[in-house]
């Protein structure tokens, strides 16, 4: 008995010693020299770290391209709910609206800020061909482990080119990542990419938007870009607004949500319309794409939204005014019912991806109504100098597709054929494209890029 008791005592001492050492190690890792607690995550590379609720995949295993669903072109494969939200059934049942977006792997850090601003379900399509999948897997693991809102309410879906299915990183390693700096962590994890792989320049935005929208079983969807941030309490206020019109719902109403750019000097997200208007007066905010392409928001007539005061002071969302005109190539951000037309997936890359959907809504008899109090913000003033040269070529190609789209739509709806767009053919436009490319390169070389800081609601202007 004495020997057994001594054995138990020795084991207990070893356990207590290990526990004490563990506490000391954690304190050393999470506390800096100033005594301020910091959150760090040591993330091992695990390409099979897909979902805690997906036991079919063994550790280290990647998702197979053969299990994807091909799009109508046969060029892309989609995989729904590769990383599902932990509380997805609950959050989608409690919200009338789903926030829908899409991202390449280098911009996934924005999801942390979106999940902070948006309290409802968030559906994200990620473009991750080849070894980009390794970056996506690691970054989404980081987001889910560092940000409880992402873990609970964000579902991620995967899109890749058919010829480049997911593959592991050629650089297996571990990284110590700061949970309070998702942008820097995203940059570090980009090292998992295989730099010998050619970059995919044809980005299927509309396919990804439709995948993210189809996978969210809410009554309405708000489809935004990944670098747009909702104003505080937008999810709750949109659900409240839709509940208020529930007795007589408008099945063909498209609700316009204004979008504004914020100067890089702004280090906080405006919490309400009055704060945004104050930034406008100081020249620190302006309408989205105001200098790049005025038609983007032009038909929203935001001068009325900015000039007219809110109808009341309780912050409730209401229709402020109706849009009685339509201008082609208008690209508003819209809150749409699930029954509204999807985005046309023939548009790949830049150009006409949103305006084609708005054109179809217009032709199908939808009415456009601008919501008061609701808005989105985008970090940084937009300029064409930051555009890649390939962007202009993609726009020209999509011009041709836009004509085909309009002819097909008019035929389906029994409308007269559309008037042809007045534009030279691509060969005639080559000198213009080359000139734009050269000018963009010179602008980038002459102007240093100013990097903004993440917009956080808890930070105030100096």
């Amino acid at each position: 008995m004495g020997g057994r008791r001594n054995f138990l005592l020795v084991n207990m001492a070893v356990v207590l010693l290990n526990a004490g050492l563990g506490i000391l190690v954690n304190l050393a890792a999470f506390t800096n020299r100033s005594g301020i607690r910091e959150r760090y995550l040591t993330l091992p590379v695990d390409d099979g770290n897909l979902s805690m609720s997906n036991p079919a995949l063994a550790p280290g295993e990647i998702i197979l391209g053969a299990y994807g669903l091909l799009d109508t072109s046969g060029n892309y494969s989609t995989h729904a709910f590769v990383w599902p939200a932990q509380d997805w059934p609950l959050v989608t049942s409690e919200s009338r609206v789903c926030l829908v977006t899409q991202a390449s792997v280098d911009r996934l850090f924005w999801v942390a800020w979106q999940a902070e601003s948006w309290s409802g379900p968030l559906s994200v399509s990620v473009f991750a061909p080849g070894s980009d999948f390794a970056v996506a897997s690691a970054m989404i693991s980081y987001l889910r482990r560092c940000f409880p809102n992402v873990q609970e309410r964000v579902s991620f879906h995967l899109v890749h080119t058919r010829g480049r299915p997911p593959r592991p990183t050629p650089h297996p390693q571990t990284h110590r990542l700061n949970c309070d700096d998702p942008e820097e962590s995203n940059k570090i994890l980009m090292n998992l990419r295989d730099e010998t792989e050619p970059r995919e320049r044809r980005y299927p935005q509309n396919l990804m938007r439709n995948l993210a929208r189809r996978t969210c079983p809410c009554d309405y969807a708000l489809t935004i870009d990944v670098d747009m941030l909702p104003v505080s309490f937008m999810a709750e206020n949109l659900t409240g607004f839709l509940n208020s019109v529930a007795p007589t719902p408008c099945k063909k109403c498209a609700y316009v949500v204004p979008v504004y750019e914020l100067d890089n000097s702004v280090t906080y997200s405006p919490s309400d319309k009055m704060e945004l208007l104050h930034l406008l007066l100081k020249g620190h905010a302006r309408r989205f794409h105001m200098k790049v392409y005025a038609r983007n928001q032009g038909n929203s007539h935001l001068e009325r939204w900015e000039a007219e005061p809110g109808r009341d002071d309780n912050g409730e969302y209401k229709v402020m005014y109706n849009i009685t005109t339509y201008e082609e190539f208008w690209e508003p951000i819209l809150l749409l019912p699930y029954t509204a037309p999807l985005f046309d997936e023939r548009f790949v890359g830049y150009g006409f991806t949103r305006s084609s959907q708005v054109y179809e809504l217009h032709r199908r008899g939808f009415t456009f109504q601008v919501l008061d109090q609701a808005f989105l913000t985008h970090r940084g003033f937009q300029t064409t100098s930051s555009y890649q040269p390939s962007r202009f070529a993609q726009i020209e190609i999509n011009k041709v597709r836009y004509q085909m789209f309009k002819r097909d739509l008019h035929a389906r709806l029994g409308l007269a054929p559309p008037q042809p767009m007045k534009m030279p053919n691509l060969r005639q436009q080559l000198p213009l494209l080359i000139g734009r490319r050269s000018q963009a390169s010179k602008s980038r070389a002459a102007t240093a890029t100013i990097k903004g800081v993440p917009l956080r609601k808890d930070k105030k202007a100096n």
Side-chain angles (χ1 to χ4, degrees):
M1 288 292 293
R4 183 177 179 182
R5 182 165 49 193
N6 290 337
F7 176 76
L8 291 173
L9 289 173
V10 170
N11 277 336
M12 289 180 63
V14 170
V15 170
L16 291 173
L17 180 61
N18 284 335
L21 289 173
I23 292 172
L24 290 174
V25 169
N26 279 322
L27 286 174
F30 284 90
T31 306
N32 61 18
R33 294 181 180 179
S34 303
I36 301 175
R37 183 177 176 83
E38 295 177 343
R39 300 186 304 143
Y40 283 92
L41 172 69
T42 301
L43 188 66
V45 173
D46 179 8
D47 295 322
N49 187 14
L50 296 177
S51 168
M52 294 182 295
S53 62
N54 194 343
L57 292 167
E61 200 173 18
I62 62 172
I63 193 166
L64 298 178
Y67 291 117
L69 181 66
L70 288 177
D71 74 328
T72 54
S73 73
N75 294 324
Y76 300 96
S77 292
T78 63
H79 304 258
F81 294 107
V82 178
W83 298 273
Q86 178 178 290
D87 297 338
W88 194 246
L90 177 62
V91 294
T92 53
S93 66
E94 291 181 343
S95 179
R96 299 287 304 278
V97 185
C98 187
L99 193 65
V100 172
T101 193
Q102 37 76 33
S104 53
V105 295
D106 59 324
R107 299 172 70 77
L108 281 170
F109 67 91
W110 280 106
V111 176
W113 310 130
Q114 287 184 336
E116 181 183 80
S117 303
W118 178 266
S119 62
L122 177 54
S123 185
V124 184
S125 291
V126 184
F127 188 55
S131 64
D132 279 12
F133 174 81
V135 181
S137 180
M139 186 61 193
I140 292 171
S141 294
Y142 161 86
L143 290 170
R144 287 160 64 90
R145 292 167 66 180
C146 287
F147 299 90
N149 289 339
V150 176
Q151 170 74 28
E152 296 164 2
R153 296 188 279 101
V154 183
S155 284
F156 295 90
H157 322 286
L158 182 69
V159 178
H160 61 85
T161 49
R162 182 183 183 183
R164 291 183 58 199
R167 56 183 292 258
T169 176
H171 316 295
Q173 55 189 298
T174 59
H175 298 280
R176 187 170 181 264
L177 306 173
N178 187 348
C179 278
D180 291 329
D181 195 348
E183 185 171 4
E184 181 61 28
S185 298
N186 205 160
K187 291 178 182 177
I188 293 172
L189 291 176
M190 290 299 293
N191 293 323
L192 299 176
R193 233 179 195 176
D194 184 353
E195 293 302 328
T196 65
E197 288 181 345
R199 298 274 70 85
E200 291 287 350
R201 300 187 182 277
R202 300 176 73 249
Y203 184 75
Q205 296 187 47
N206 281 357
L207 170 65
M208 297 173 67
R209 287 166 174 158
N210 289 344
L211 173 62
R213 176 177 160 185
R214 285 190 176 109
T215 48
C216 199
C218 293
D219 299 332
Y220 285 77
L222 181 64
T223 303
I224 69 175
D225 294 341
V226 74
D227 52 3
M228 292 178 178
L229 296 179
V231 68
S232 304
F233 305 109
M234 180 179 279
E236 297 88 342
N237 286 329
L238 286 178
T239 293
F241 164 73
L242 293 171
N243 288 337
S244 70
V245 298
T248 55
C250 178
K251 296 182 179 180
K252 284 195 171 184
C253 283
Y255 300 107
V256 178
V257 177
V259 189
Y260 285 83
E261 303 170 354
L262 302 180
D263 185 75
N264 284 323
S265 63
V266 179
T267 58
Y268 71 101
S269 296
S271 60
D272 55 36
K273 182 177 177 178
M274 290 304 297
E275 284 192 13
L276 175 64
L277 294 179
H278 181 66
L279 291 172
L280 279 169
L281 289 174
K282 294 175 65 177
H284 294 163
R286 69 188 186 196
R287 299 165 200 164
F288 187 60
H289 276 196
M290 185 174 181
K291 298 297 184 180
V292 172
Y293 188 65
R295 286 188 177 185
N296 182 282
Q297 301 288 305
N299 197 55
S300 297
H301 302 294
L302 293 182
E303 66 279 359
R304 290 186 58 184
W305 191 85
E306 297 162 8
E308 295 184 14
R311 298 189 177 183
D312 47 48
D313 297 327
N314 59 13
E316 291 184 358
Y317 290 3
K318 294 182 180 179
V319 172
M320 191 173 190
Y321 55 90
N322 294 330
I323 302 293
T324 57
T325 59
Y326 171 76
E327 293 181 7
E328 201 166 3
F329 314 124
W330 180 36
E331 298 183 359
I333 299 297
L334 299 173
L335 174 67
L336 291 171
Y338 189 82
T339 53
L342 294 169
F343 293 90
D344 194 289
E345 295 178 7
R346 80 186 76 192
F347 296 100
V348 177
Y350 292 99
F352 306 92
T353 57
R354 280 191 182 276
S355 61
S356 56
Q357 186 202 37
V358 178
Y359 182 85
E360 181 169 357
L361 292 170
H362 166 65
R363 286 299 184 182
R364 289 185 180 274
F366 276 71
T367 60
F368 299 91
Q369 303 177 340
V370 181
L371 292 178
D372 193 16
Q373 305 297 331
F375 63 89
L376 299 159
T377 55
H378 180 281
R379 184 178 75 184
F381 286 166
Q382 295 291 285
T383 62
T384 56
S385 63
S386 62
Y387 289 175
Q388 294 293 327
S390 59
R391 182 167 183 154
F392 299 110
Q394 291 174 2
I395 291 173
E396 299 303 324
I397 293 172
N398 277 340
K399 275 185 180 179
V400 178
R401 293 183 177 135
Y402 184 65
Q403 284 292 91
M404 297 168 58
F405 158 78
K406 288 175 66 175
R407 287 198 298 266
D408 292 346
L409 177 65
H410 280 230
R412 291 200 305 270
L413 299 180
L415 302 174
Q419 294 294 322
M421 293 175 64
K422 295 181 179 180
M423 61 179 184
N425 61 43
L426 290 177
R427 181 170 297 181
Q428 292 173 325
Q429 289 184 338
L430 280 177
L432 175 62
L433 295 176
I434 293 171
R436 285 178 175 174
R437 185 176 302 182
S438 175
Q439 184 62 37
S441 300
K442 291 179 181 178
S443 298
R444 284 195 297 272
T447 306
T449 302
I450 301 174
K451 300 201 64 175
V453 297
L455 299 173
R456 302 294 299 272
K457 300 195 297 291
D458 54 348
K459 294 184 179 180
K460 299 298 181 183
N462 294 329

